[in-house]
């Protein structure tokens, strides 16, 4: 069953345990303070709804994924240090305890805060026509989230080149540096993204939650400290997984040579 809703600049479509969120803020899908707050509420509700397992984030139209900050709204009074809402800019990059997979489907222009939004997902699928940049340098400001994330995701010297020059790069280069999972023909982008989402939907949600928490918490920890927290069940998602029906089901399914049936409990 498919369920569709519209919440201001966002449109949501639900199919099974998958939520598709479409940023639809004409003309360019730029993000104002108001739009960011709405996005935060939608992503918070996704996080807190146990019946949802995977989120796809896309944008309306073919020309823009998102150019980032809404300069028109800024000219009308939006402060750059204003209230972005529960998840920070774009609703995702500061949303705590989001332990479900998020797939970004990027088409067209993805730059500035729009690229930072894409980097907030777990997997990025891109159209062959997608283009990327961090042009903040040209407007005398800093790409703050990207300056933190990018050198951890791709080689340092490549990240610094992109941050210091603000130059544009295409999907082929993004793939080469490992920023995106796959380049798709524009007409195939959403079909392939949904196929990936359905694959993840069929997987073990408690394991996904543990993976996301371990990856997030271990980012700034020594290896042994992080491993000790996992093995001693000191992370909530790991503790829940090791006490779950799903872990027993996984072992039984393996021994019985059948596909597991995940219940998320």
């Amino acid at each position: 069953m498919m369920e569709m809703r519209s919440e201001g600049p966002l449109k949501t479509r639900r199919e099974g345990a998958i939520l598709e969120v479409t940023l639809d803020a004409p003309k360019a899908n730029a993000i104002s303070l108001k739009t960011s707050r709405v996005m935060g509420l939608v992503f918070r509700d996704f996080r807190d709804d146990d019946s949802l397992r995977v989120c796809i984030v896309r944008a309306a139209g073919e020309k823009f994924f998102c150019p980032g900050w809404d300069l028109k709204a800024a000219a009308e009074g939006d402060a750059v240090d204003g209230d972005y809402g529960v998840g920070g800019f774009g609703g995702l990059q500061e949303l705590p305890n989001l332990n479900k997979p998020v797939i970004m489907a990027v088409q067209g222009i993805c730059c500035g805060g729009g690229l930072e939004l894409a980097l907030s997902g777990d997997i990025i699928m891109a159209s062959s026509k997608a283009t990327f940049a961090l042009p903040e340098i040209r407007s005398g400001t800093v790409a703050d989230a990207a300056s933190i994330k990018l050198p951890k995701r791709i080689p340092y010297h490549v990240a610094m080149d992109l941050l210091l020059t603000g130059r544009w790069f295409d999907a082929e280069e993004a793939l080469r540096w490992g920023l995106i999972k796959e380049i798709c023909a524009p007409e195939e982008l959403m079909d392939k993204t949904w196929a990936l989402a359905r694959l993840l939907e069929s997987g073990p949600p408690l394991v996904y939650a543990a993976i996301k928490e371990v990856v997030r918490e271990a980012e700034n920890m020594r290896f042994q400290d992080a491993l000790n927290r996992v093995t001693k069940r000191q992370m909530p998602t790991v503790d829940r997984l090791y006490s779950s029906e799903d872990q027993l089901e996984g072992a039984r399914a393996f021994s019985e040579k059948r596909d597991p049936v995940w219940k998320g409990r």
Side-chain angles (χ1 to χ4, degrees):
M1 187 175 89
M2 187 188 304
E3 177 186 338
M4 302 187 73
R5 296 177 61 185
S6 179
E7 305 198 30
L10 296 188
K11 291 182 172 64
T12 60
R13 167 191 173 197
R14 175 173 182 166
E15 185 178 302
I18 301 170
L19 179 70
E20 181 186 78
V21 179
T22 301
L23 176 60
D24 187 7
K27 299 178 179 178
N29 297 322
I31 299 176
S32 65
L33 290 178
K34 181 179 179 181
T35 296
S36 182
R37 290 193 291 267
V38 173
M39 293 172 78
L41 294 176
V42 169
F43 293 131
R44 182 200 63 187
D45 290 348
F46 163 71
R47 178 196 66 188
D48 296 342
D49 186 340
D50 289 340
S51 69
L52 288 170
R53 295 187 178 184
V54 184
C55 183
I56 296 170
V57 181
R58 62 175 298 187
E62 298 179 357
K63 187 174 181 181
F64 291 95
F65 173 73
C66 176
W69 180 238
D70 188 334
L71 294 178
K72 181 179 178 181
E76 294 172 353
D78 268 14
V80 71
D81 59 350
D83 178 12
Y84 291 107
V86 65
F89 181 81
L92 271 179
Q93 63 187 18
E94 296 178 61
L95 185 64
N97 303 315
L98 177 55
N99 294 325
K100 301 175 181 180
V102 177
I103 307 169
M104 295 286 170
V106 176
Q107 85 295 344
I109 293 170
C110 176
C111 66
L115 179 50
E116 292 176 329
L117 173 64
L119 291 172
S120 298
D122 299 300
I123 300 173
I124 303 174
M125 304 284 283
S127 161
S128 58
K129 294 185 178 180
T131 56
F132 306 87
L134 292 164
E136 282 86 345
I137 181 79
R138 298 171 189 169
S139 57
T141 188
V142 61
D144 47 13
S147 296
I148 296 167
K149 291 180 178 181
L150 210 56
K152 297 179 180 180
R153 307 277 180 90
I154 64 177
Y156 171 85
H157 295 97
V158 177
M160 294 305 288
D161 170 38
L162 300 177
L163 288 162
L164 293 173
T165 67
R167 68 175 178 84
W168 288 89
F169 57 104
D170 60 16
E172 290 286 351
E173 184 174 355
L175 183 66
R176 185 162 73 246
W177 300 126
L179 272 179
I180 63 177
K181 176 189 185 306
E182 184 177 344
I183 299 174
C184 308
E187 65 275 13
E188 295 178 348
L189 175 63
M190 293 317 303
D191 286 344
K192 289 191 173 184
T193 300
W194 269 89
L196 176 59
R198 291 186 181 104
L199 174 64
L200 296 180
E201 179 191 27
S202 70
L206 297 185
V207 176
Y208 292 160
I211 289 170
K212 287 205 63 172
E213 184 177 27
V214 169
V215 169
R216 184 174 62 245
E217 295 299 315
E219 187 173 23
N220 295 310
M221 296 175 66
R222 291 173 56 249
F223 170 79
Q224 196 60 54
D225 292 339
L227 189 60
N228 287 343
R229 287 195 63 192
V230 174
T231 57
K232 294 176 181 178
R233 296 171 60 160
Q234 293 175 343
M235 294 186 185
T237 57
V238 174
D239 184 55
R240 184 183 179 197
L241 171 65
Y242 287 170
S243 304
S244 69
E245 292 179 31
D246 274 4
Q247 192 188 42
L248 292 174
E249 167 63 9
R252 289 194 191 105
F254 180 81
S255 64
E256 295 168 7
K257 296 181 174 58
R258 61 173 175 82
D259 292 333
V261 179
W262 307 115
K263 297 180 179 178
R265 61 176 187 265

